[in-house]
Amino acid sequence: MIALLLIPLIAPFALPPLARRTVERIRPDVALWAVAGASGVLAVGVLACLGALVLPVALQVPVLASFMDVVHPLDAGRPMAVRLLAAVSGVALGVCVVALCRAAVRLLGRLRAVQAGVAGRASAGDLCVVEDDRPDAYALPGRRRTPGRIVVTTGMLRALSPAQREVLFAHERAHLAGRHHWFLAVADLAARCHPGLHATRCWVTLAAERAADEEAASANGDRRLTAHAIGHAALAVTASASGRPVHVPGATGGPVPARVRALLAQAPRRRVAPVLLAVLLLCTGAATAAMSGAADLHRAVEVAQGESAGD
């Protein structure tokens, strides 16, 4: 049982190299779903398994044992190993939960601050221009009854030619249409649960930016123009240009040189690379191990409740 519950805790370390190959070899929109989805699934598995490893020792507490109707000692393996794993897992689970809560509050707070900063400003359709000499542009997610908007500073508009501005707007509209902020938020929150998932976050960002790049290139029909626009926008942005949250996508996010090289190459083909199957197998294997370990733990709890003893 314990060995099965350890597998989902090790599996996330295999995701970063698979994520890199996925983003490099298949269509960016498919890669975005695959890598962000895998991050979310593995993060949930990590939290579930940490909680399951704590349970055998937690059920030794009289109050919890009485609540769960435990009448026999729970047999989960060697007592010393079970206690040690429970202690380590309990600390790790506490750290993850605190980090998740803090990250979620920080993301929501910064998003509301950005939304409040542009609230009431005049818009031309979905475009909101902010008077600011610092070049910046990003896709701002909407609220329940407020649609998302493209926020661009006057500094960014001055840095680009008219044709490049249209590319920038198409890029940001692709972010809004694809709801890429949800993928970035999932990757950022999953990163709080495991070091391997932290290393995967940058590949989710790259996949989101590449997906928007391809949509922009398709909209204007000129991949070279799109590459030049992305490059010029990135060169115009300074380190202090933006205070937006990490899950608010912008045209200058991710490794820009890699994005420009991809745009100057041929458009990605519609194909399923073997690496995508590897990502699927990784998630399936981790989920299967977690469910099998949970099932074994459930049977052990039933025995401790006396059901198998005829009590």
Side-chain angles (χ1 to χ4, degrees):
M1 174 184 68
I2 290 180
L4 288 173
L5 292 175
L6 291 177
I7 292 176
L9 302 181
I10 300 172
F13 286 113
L15 185 58
L18 289 176
R20 177 178 64 83
R21 291 177 174 82
T22 301
V23 174
E24 290 176 348
R25 298 182 182 183
I26 68 174
R27 282 176 45 196
D29 54 341
V30 178
L32 179 60
W33 276 96
V35 178
S39 296
V41 169
L42 292 178
V44 172
V46 167
L47 295 176
C49 288
L50 288 176
L53 289 171
V54 173
L55 186 61
V57 172
L59 289 180
Q60 295 179 10
V61 178
V63 174
L64 293 177
S66 176
F67 178 76
M68 294 291 294
D69 297 325
V70 173
V71 296
H72 301 301
L74 181 64
D75 183 14
R78 295 182 180 180
M80 185 63 68
V82 170
R83 293 192 188 97
L84 179 60
L85 279 174
V88 174
S89 300
V91 172
L93 182 61
V95 170
C96 288
V97 170
V98 171
L100 275 172
C101 292
R102 292 181 62 183
V105 171
R106 190 183 309 113
L107 287 177
L108 288 174
R110 293 186 66 185
L111 176 60
R112 288 172 181 171
V114 174
Q115 289 174 332
V118 299
R121 293 182 181 270
S123 299
D126 60 355
L127 181 63
C128 177
V129 179
V130 177
E131 288 288 343
D132 193 334
D133 291 334
R134 298 174 300 176
D136 196 17
Y138 51 91
L140 182 62
R143 298 181 180 180
R144 292 181 179 179
R145 298 182 180 180
T146 305
R149 290 194 287 179
I150 300 169
V151 181
V152 60
T153 64
T154 52
M156 178 63 82
L157 293 178
R158 286 194 294 267
L160 302 179
S161 68
Q164 291 171 343
R165 293 173 194 166
E166 292 302 319
V167 171
L168 179 71
F169 300 155
H171 176 99
E172 302 303 348
R173 289 190 179 98
H175 279 314
L176 292 175
R179 298 183 179 274
H180 292 168
H181 57 282
W182 286 112
F183 297 93
L184 299 179
V186 167
D188 186 66
L189 294 177
R192 315 294 171 173
C193 301
H194 197 280
L197 300 179
H198 185 275
T200 304
R201 183 171 52 180
C202 64
W203 298 111
V204 175
T205 300
L206 177 57
E209 296 302 330
R210 284 279 299 111
D213 289 344
E214 291 298 331
E215 287 293 330
S218 177
N220 65 69
D222 190 338
R223 299 181 66 82
R224 183 171 293 275
L225 172 62
T226 304
H228 289 170
I230 297 301
H232 277 85
L235 290 174
V237 173
T238 62
S240 60
S242 177
R244 64 179 181 268
V246 294
H247 69 297
V248 175
T252 57
V256 175
R259 293 168 54 195
V260 170
R261 285 196 301 270
L263 283 168
L264 294 177
Q266 293 182 352
R269 297 179 179 178
R270 295 175 176 270
R271 64 191 181 94
V272 177
V275 67
L276 188 60
L277 299 179
V279 173
L280 179 61
L281 288 175
L282 176 66
C283 293
T284 302
T288 301
M291 289 187 292
S292 298
D296 289 346
L297 179 61
H298 182 262
R299 286 192 290 269
V301 171
E302 287 183 336
V303 172
Q305 290 172 332
E307 296 185 10
S308 296
D311 294 353

